[in-house]
Amino acid sequence: AQKITQTQPGMFVQEKEAVTLDCTYDTSDQSYGLFWYKQPSSGEMIFLIYQGSYDEQNATEGRYSLNFQKARKSANLVISASQLGDSAMYFCAMREPLNTGNQFYFGTGTSLTVIP
Amino acid sequence: NAGVTQTPKFRILKIGQSMTLQCAQDMNHNYMYWYRQDPGMGLKLIYYSVGAGITDKGEVPNGYNVSRSTTEDFPLRLELAAPSQTSVYFCASTGQGKTEAFFGQGTRLTVV
């Protein structure tokens, strides 16, 4: 089974609007971390936001927020007030500390295009 | 603060050639990883290390080898390059606890 599932290969959003990128995860551990990364066309991986499994509040970082629904095992990224520079690939990832190697599992990504 | 440094950034190999992708981190991280990213796809784990002297296979290890003689360095060796190894390779590292993975800039490898 896939550890991380991102079901939206591509998304479009109007500039200044909000957009939600979906992510579901699969784990039997109680302790885990969820991450979102941005990969612009230049190729680097940019860390955006982190949510711990025991965190009761949704994480926020500037215009990024993580809608964490533990019972549904979802960790959707919300980008508010989209900007042209937000056009990029977005990857959801999970870290399971109890697993050997503290491995990170990545989804297949969502390509976001911001329309002027 | 250099973070994770990968070299080279680009490389073209002929089928059957070998090469080593270098990766170094200066954050004293125990955990290091090598991923490959094929066009339009996510990241697949090739090898990882939990500390100096300890390495283990990830999801797609065939055709690759690694070593971890120091905490800082985690080179990836490609033996007998094949066209299927054409990809972008990322090295990453992380520490204990709630830390994210820090990535190098990536190496774009083409095997012809």
Side-chain angles (χ1 to χ4, degrees):
Chain A
Q2 291 290 327
K3 288 279 190 179
I4 296 288
T5 302
Q6 294 180 254
T7 57
Q8 305 157 313
M11 290 282 287
F12 293 87
V13 64
Q14 205 75 35
E15 192 178 7
K16 300 181 185 177
E17 297 292 313
V19 63
T20 298
L21 306 184
D22 294 341
C23 173
T24 58
Y25 59 93
D26 180 28
T27 182
S28 56
D29 288 353
Q30 297 302 308
S31 176
Y32 51 90
L34 297 159
F35 304 81
W36 277 91
Y37 284 84
K38 173 184 179 181
Q39 187 178 43
S41 58
S42 52
E44 69 268 31
M45 295 289 286
I46 302 168
F47 165 69
L48 295 178
I49 195 167
Y50 163 83
Q51 178 84 42
S53 58
Y54 294 118
D55 295 341
E56 294 186 353
Q57 300 228 348
N58 287 342
T60 60
E61 288 287 344
R63 293 186 298 111
Y64 304 109
S65 61
L66 201 152
N67 184 359
F68 181 45
Q69 298 189 39
K70 196 170 184 177
R72 294 186 177 183
K73 293 189 176 179
S74 74
N76 298 339
L77 177 71
V78 181
I79 305 174
S80 63
S82 296
Q83 301 172 356
L84 296 178
D86 293 335
S87 294
M89 282 289 289
Y90 288 82
F91 292 97
C92 180
M94 177 175 66
R95 177 180 182 178
E96 294 177 318
L98 298 181
N99 279 0
T100 303
N102 253 289
Q103 293 182 38
F104 287 79
Y105 301 94
F106 286 83
T108 52
T110 296
S111 176
L112 177 67
T113 301
V114 180
I115 303 167
Chain B
N1 190 2
V4 180
T5 303
Q6 269 184 255
T7 56
K9 290 187 178 179
F10 303 93
R11 183 71 185 267
I12 298 174
L13 278 182
K14 293 184 178 179
I15 294 172
Q17 286 185 322
S18 300
M19 76 164 294
T20 298
L21 280 66
Q22 301 292 342
C23 176
Q25 53 90 11
D26 62 359
M27 296 171 282
N28 202 33
H29 285 164
N30 284 333
Y31 303 99
M32 295 189 75
Y33 313 90
W34 274 105
Y35 292 92
R36 61 175 287 172
Q37 183 181 27
D38 297 329
M41 303 294 288
L43 282 74
K44 294 186 177 179
L45 183 64
I46 305 171
Y47 269 95
Y48 65 95
S49 170
V50 302
I54 306 170
T55 63
D56 209 344
K57 296 177 181 179
E59 184 183 1
V60 289
N62 292 343
Y64 307 95
N65 270 304
V66 294
S67 59
R68 184 96 183 268
S69 56
T70 66
T71 299
E72 294 77 20
D73 299 302
F74 190 41
L76 177 72
R77 177 83 177 161
L78 277 74
E79 304 283 1
L80 299 174
S84 61
Q85 292 178 305
T86 293
S87 190
V88 178
Y89 292 83
F90 285 99
C91 178
S93 73
T94 192
Q96 287 291 136
K98 301 177 181 180
T99 59
E100 70 271 28
F102 293 80
F103 282 85
Q105 291 295 303
T107 297
R108 187 173 296 274
L109 175 68
T110 303
V111 182
V112 296

